[in-house]
Amino acid sequence: MTKEKGRSSIVYSDAVLPILQGRIPGQLIIQYTDVCNALCPQCSMRKTEKYERSKLSKEEVCRIIDAAAEQKIQALSFTGGEPFLFLDELIELIQYASFKKIPLIRTGTNGYLFSNWRRQEYVYEIHNLAEKLARTNLRNLWISIDSADPRTHEHMRGLPGVIRGIEIALPIFHEYGIYPAANLGINRNIGGLGKISEKMIKQDEFYRESHEHS
Ligand code: SF4
């Protein structure tokens, strides 16, 4: 509340004003790309699906962000597909949204980068990634997780080793003030598959089984 020449006035933030007007603060989800490198059987964007893939251009996304800023959108998410496949441009777009003063900027990954944890440069690469993200105003980073059982999750995604890579990466992210969240996919395998049969170890059989019993 502020006083002006004997009368009181209240200044509300852009986040509060819509609530007082009976609206929720706007949020915008930009599906930046449908390119993906994972094999999730529940998703039509899995990498084996045959259709023409695309990505919004940087200029298109900047125009969308301009309009969002004008509309006082409070939350903006970049999704995919797998947006981290275009990491440098994604970071530029997060920077642009920060510059346009969008308060809550979010993005996420299927975690494929973390399946590289056996590489000698892995720790260095994660420091590098965390440092780049920490330079932006990114508010939330989610990592999608499909099952409480690591082996099931990795099998569903087609990303062997990704859970170990996440374990190594998390403390590094924390050093940079980034606290990734788990984006939980609710599906029949969330509690684990139990024993994955030898047949289902083959990804195409796993996919067939998942769909035959849908
Ligand atoms: S990572 Fe996401 S976009 Fe890619 S196949 Fe899995 S659910 Fe679909």
Side-chain angles (χ1 to χ4, degrees):
M1 183 181 289
T2 58
K3 285 250 183 199
E4 288 173 24
K5 291 190 178 171
R7 69 188 174 89
S8 301
S9 66
I10 299 174
V11 179
Y12 294 110
S13 76
D14 289 338
V16 173
L17 200 55
I19 295 171
L20 295 175
Q21 292 167 341
R23 297 184 286 122
I24 54 170
Q27 72 161 314
L28 175 67
I29 297 170
I30 299 177
Q31 188 184 5
Y32 176 48
T33 182
D34 58 5
V35 179
C36 192
N37 54 357
L39 282 171
C40 312
Q42 73 275 28
C43 180
S44 59
M45 288 182 279
R46 70 200 303 266
K47 72 175 177 186
T48 48
E49 294 294 316
K50 302 270 183 285
Y51 63 94
E52 198 177 331
R53 311 277 174 150
S54 60
K55 178 186 79 62
L56 292 172
S57 71
K58 192 165 102 179
E59 294 69 30
E60 283 169 316
V61 179
C62 286
R63 280 201 297 276
I64 295 169
I65 293 171
D66 288 343
E70 267 176 44
Q71 296 291 319
K72 307 227 179 296
I73 291 287
Q74 297 295 300
L76 188 157
S77 303
F78 296 99
T79 73
E82 173 49 41
F84 273 49
L85 287 171
F86 307 96
L87 189 59
D88 289 344
E89 190 172 282
L90 177 66
I91 287 174
E92 281 182 51
L93 292 169
I94 293 169
Q95 295 280 32
Y96 188 69
S98 314
F99 169 69
K100 286 288 176 170
K101 301 199 177 351
I102 306 278
L104 299 173
I105 306 167
R106 309 186 281 218
T107 193
T109 175
N110 62 26
Y112 78 96
L113 286 172
F114 307 123
S115 55
N116 293 329
W117 65 272
R118 288 186 181 81
R119 286 160 57 103
Q120 214 178 4
E121 315 79 26
Y122 179 72
V123 168
Y124 167 78
E125 287 168 353
I126 297 299
H127 273 280
N128 197 23
L129 170 62
E131 194 179 352
K132 279 184 189 169
L133 292 173
R135 276 196 235 116
T136 72
N137 278 3
L138 185 69
R139 175 68 170 267
N140 297 105
L141 170 65
W142 71 80
I143 304 170
S144 297
I145 303 285
D146 280 332
S147 175
D149 171 48
R151 188 166 174 239
T152 303
H153 169 71
E154 293 175 2
H155 198 60
M156 285 189 68
R157 298 260 152 183
L159 298 173
V162 68
I163 293 293
R164 179 68 192 124
I166 292 171
E167 283 173 344
I168 296 169
L170 285 179
I172 299 173
F173 278 119
H174 294 174
E175 282 178 40
Y176 292 84
I178 297 171
Y179 298 91
N183 181 35
L184 297 175
I186 306 295
N187 66 78
R188 74 182 69 181
N189 298 324
I190 198 159
L193 278 172
K195 186 173 181 307
I196 300 174
S197 69
E198 286 307 312
K199 188 177 151 203
M200 284 179 72
I201 283 175
K202 287 191 179 161
Q203 279 289 350
D204 52 345
E205 289 295 342
F206 180 64
Y207 180 72
R208 210 173 352 265
E209 283 274 328
S210 302
H211 283 256
E212 272 172 10
H213 300 117
S214 300

